[in-house]
Amino acid sequence: MDRQKDNMAAQLLKNKALLEQVVRSDDAQRLMELLNQKAGNGLKEAADAAAQGNPAALLGMVRQVMGTQEGAKLVERLNQTAPNP
C-alpha cells in the first residue's frame, strides 16, 4: 500500500498540471479547512515535521479528519482525481 501511495505521489509530481489541479480543487481546499480546524497552529508544525521526514503528527491529523464523514468523502474524491499507478 505504501508503494502504491509513493507511485501516486511520484506521478503527481511529474504531472505538474494535474498536481496543481488537485491542490487548487474545492475538495483540497475544504480538506485544508478541516485540517486547520482540527489542528489550528499545529498544522504548520506538523507539515514542517513531515517535510523533514517525520510525518507522524500530520498523518494523525489526516486520520482524524478522515474519520469524519465529510473528510472521508473529500479524500475519496481526491484519490479519484489522482492518477492510478
Side-chain angles (χ1 to χ4, degrees), residues 3 5 8 21 36 47 63 68 73 82 84:
R3 183 173 288 179
K5 289 178 185 175
M8 284 175 49
Q21 176 185 346
N36 277 317
R63 284 188 184 108
T68 67
K73 286 180 181 179
N84 293 322

Side-chain angles (χ1 to χ4, degrees), residues 15-34:
N15 187 341
K16 302 284 187 191
L18 179 59
L19 177 60
E20 188 170 323
Q21 176 185 346
V22 170
V23 170
R24 292 181 187 267
S25 72
D26 290 342
D27 289 339
Q29 296 301 312
R30 179 62 184 145
L31 186 59
M32 288 303 299
E33 288 174 9
L34 292 175

Side-chain angles (χ1 to χ4, degrees), residues 22-64:
V22 170
V23 170
R24 292 181 187 267
S25 72
D26 290 342
D27 289 339
Q29 296 301 312
R30 179 62 184 145
L31 186 59
M32 288 303 299
E33 288 174 9
L34 292 175
L35 284 168
N36 277 317
Q37 287 173 5
K38 289 280 184 191
N41 293 335
L43 180 59
K44 182 181 178 343
E45 292 173 8
D48 289 344
Q52 294 176 5
N54 183 8
L58 185 59
L59 289 173
M61 291 176 194
V62 171
R63 284 188 184 108
Q64 280 185 323

